[in-house]
Amino acid sequence: MMTSRPDVAVIGGGVVGLAVAWRCAQRGLDVHVYHDELPGTASAVAPGMLAPVSEADFPDPALLKFAHDARVGWPAFAAELAEASGIDLGYNAGGLLLVAHADEDRSRLAAMYGFRDGYDVPCTRLDAAELRAREPMLSAESVGGGFATEDHHVDAQRVRQALRVAGEALGVRYITRRVTSLDEVTAGSVLVAAGAWSPTLHDWPGTPVQGQVVLLRDPSGGPGLRHGIRGVVGGEPVFLAGRDGSRTIVAATVDHTGFDARPSARATDSLLRKAITLVPALAGHEVIETRVGLRPDTPDHLPIMGRVPDRPGVYVSTGHYRHGVLLAPVAAELMTTLMVTGADGVPAAFTPQRFRSAKEGASR
Ligand code: GLY
């Protein structure tokens, strides 16, 4: 039965908030989700990389382990969500190709390998001929790279749609409203999962980091890329993945431009230049969309998850930065357990308290 004071209110309708709402509803709780689709909502743009180590630009052990465990749990989560929603998530477990375009790009790629080796994640080195055997659309100029069997990708926009459908089927109520103060929401437990906007609701530090993607369509209808590709061109990374046969997503820039969610010609140029260098056939594809998402970053690039100090009944799960889609299932599991049972399985490194301690130390 729907109540005016639900058991749980989730502020934020991105993948993290929706995954928590679904999990809570599965436990029989009344759940309200407050969401206003502002330009830059990260889940509306995310390319859906489930690639814990090739995506890690900073070797924090707590995050690497968390991300690795999250990836391991994804196939079961995807199967359960697809079944519950009846939506095909575009889950691709075919592995990710790591591609250095030129000799100068090998060292950046080698850094990715280094993380992998430490975490026992299978990654096979491939020479240029082996790369092209796996992905015939790759440029003949690519010098080498690797194949990460354990890195997957998914259509993040379909995941979000599926989470909403699955939640609604269990009675989750979606309220289109921007929440600007925690005092506006009354519930047994309140979860802040508002992505880049989370710091506007409390005094956590956070920065929106712009990521632009370009969506292409092959006018001939395919066949499209066999694998996701994490490429390095001119020392800069780019991600390519096929969608629905004829479409290709090219992602993602990293720019510090505040809450500006407007696509720029510079970012489009940078993405397309790298994409066409790696996969020359993309030059003949149609540009169908450019989108900008605002990733929620934190000073140490680690998530902020747990109980909110001095706010009984208020919780937070944000700061997932480049890993929101990857981490959503495991974040949902931990946050739901914490809110429902009080058992706190969130890694200590992610506590909201860490910023308060730093502030208190500085003011002493
Ligand atoms: N995970 C994709 C990105 O943030 O760039």
Side-chain angles (χ1 to χ4, degrees):
M1 193 182 71
M2 192 183 298
T3 57
S4 56
R5 185 182 189 277
D7 300 313
V8 176
V10 177
I11 305 174
V15 284
V16 173
L18 292 177
V20 173
W22 180 42
R23 289 300 189 209
C24 287
Q26 285 178 321
R27 294 187 181 226
L29 302 178
D30 253 348
V31 185
H32 289 185
V33 174
Y34 292 88
H35 182 72
D36 184 19
E37 188 84 354
L38 295 172
T41 297
S43 297
V45 177
M49 296 174 71
L50 306 175
V53 183
S54 65
E55 183 69 335
D57 283 341
F58 40 87
D60 186 282
L63 182 56
L64 285 174
K65 178 169 183 340
F66 196 58
H68 181 254
D69 293 349
R71 218 304 283 131
V72 170
W74 248 96
F77 176 81
E80 184 187 356
L81 180 58
E83 167 79 23
S85 64
I87 291 174
D88 173 0
L89 306 180
Y91 193 86
N92 185 316
L96 197 79
L97 280 173
L98 302 168
V99 181
H101 175 65
D103 280 328
E104 75 211 40
D105 299 318
R106 287 182 192 270
S107 58
R108 180 72 195 261
L109 215 53
M112 296 174 184
Y113 290 144
F115 293 141
R116 287 175 181 282
D117 292 344
Y119 280 81
D120 193 26
V121 178
C123 184
T124 316
R125 268 83 168 160
L126 299 179
D127 64 22
E130 290 166 332
L131 275 178
R132 273 174 53 82
R134 287 195 189 248
E135 184 51 79
M137 290 180 76
L138 273 175
S139 161
E141 289 178 18
S142 300
V143 294
F147 185 61
T149 40
E150 295 296 318
D151 279 2
H152 299 175
H153 63 92
V154 70
D155 186 328
Q157 286 69 55
R158 289 207 193 165
V159 170
R160 188 174 179 221
Q161 186 193 357
L163 285 168
R164 182 162 172 160
V165 168
E168 264 170 347
L170 296 178
V172 173
R173 183 177 162 206
Y174 296 88
I175 300 162
T176 305
R177 194 175 107 201
R178 176 149 188 219
V179 174
T180 56
S181 160
L182 289 176
D183 298 331
E184 292 170 26
V185 176
T186 308
S189 300
V190 174
L191 174 74
V192 178
W197 289 269
S198 299
T200 65
L201 291 164
H202 199 64
D203 62 353
W204 306 288
T207 318
V209 177
Q210 194 194 80
Q212 185 167 318
V213 308
V214 177
L215 211 54
L216 304 174
R217 180 167 50 212
D218 182 353
S220 74
L225 293 170
R226 288 183 190 167
H227 298 283
I229 297 174
R230 187 66 153 131
V232 181
V233 180
E236 289 180 24
V238 66
F239 174 67
L240 306 174
R243 289 274 162 89
D244 302 330
S246 66
R247 293 186 303 149
T248 303
I249 189 162
V250 184
T253 54
V254 176
D255 283 302
H256 292 80
T257 49
F259 280 95
D260 186 353
R262 292 171 298 177
S264 74
R266 183 186 48 73
T268 303
D269 172 63
S270 159
L271 288 169
L272 291 181
R273 197 172 29 79
K274 288 181 279 189
I276 293 168
T277 300
L278 287 174
V279 179
L282 293 176
H285 289 206
E286 178 189 355
V287 176
I288 52 174
E289 207 174 335
T290 54
R291 299 182 196 155
V292 169
L294 300 173
R295 309 174 181 95
D297 195 12
T298 60
D300 53 13
H301 309 298
L302 298 180
I304 302 175
M305 293 171 60
R307 291 189 183 88
V308 175
D310 300 333
R311 294 287 309 218
V314 181
Y315 302 80
V316 60
S317 185
T318 189
H320 301 101
Y321 189 38
R322 305 191 69 156
H323 317 285
V325 179
L326 170 66
L327 300 181
V330 70
E333 209 55 64
L334 292 177
M335 294 311 300
T336 301
T337 302
L338 177 61
M339 292 194 293
V340 173
T341 71
D344 191 349
V346 176
F350 304 163
T351 178
Q353 192 76 35
R354 70 190 187 274
F355 299 114
R356 212 167 75 142
S357 308
K359 219 190 271 178
E360 281 164 2
S363 64
R364 268 202 291 271

